[in-house]
Amino acid sequence: MLEDAVDFVCPRCGLSIRPRVRWLTVEHCPRCIALARIPVRMSTVPTGSARAREN
Ligand SMILES: [Zn+2]
């Protein structure tokens, strides 16, 4: 069961990363660092937005 799953999306190059484990966070885009040497902060996009919250 996935809860609070997020994708990390780079606003500069569009690279999207989905961590396999929840506690893993990606702060900066590895592609932009590798190619342009620019630390671009990844933005998070919730993947389970269609799923309603059950309490
Ligand atoms: Zn990037």
Side-chain angles (χ1 to χ4, degrees):
M1 176 177 176
L2 290 176
E3 53 186 34
D4 299 332
V6 293
D7 276 352
F8 291 89
V9 179
C10 173
R12 185 176 183 271
C13 71
L15 176 69
S16 65
I17 296 175
R18 179 175 297 181
R20 292 186 178 183
V21 286
R22 283 180 53 195
W23 46 263
L24 177 64
T25 58
V26 182
E27 189 171 3
H28 296 112
C29 173
R31 183 194 280 173
C32 287
I33 292 177
L35 296 182
R37 307 291 167 85
I38 300 174
V40 180
R41 183 174 280 274
M42 304 288 277
S43 51
T44 55
V45 178
T47 59
S49 58
R51 182 180 297 237
R53 206 177 267 263
E54 301 176 16
N55 280 330

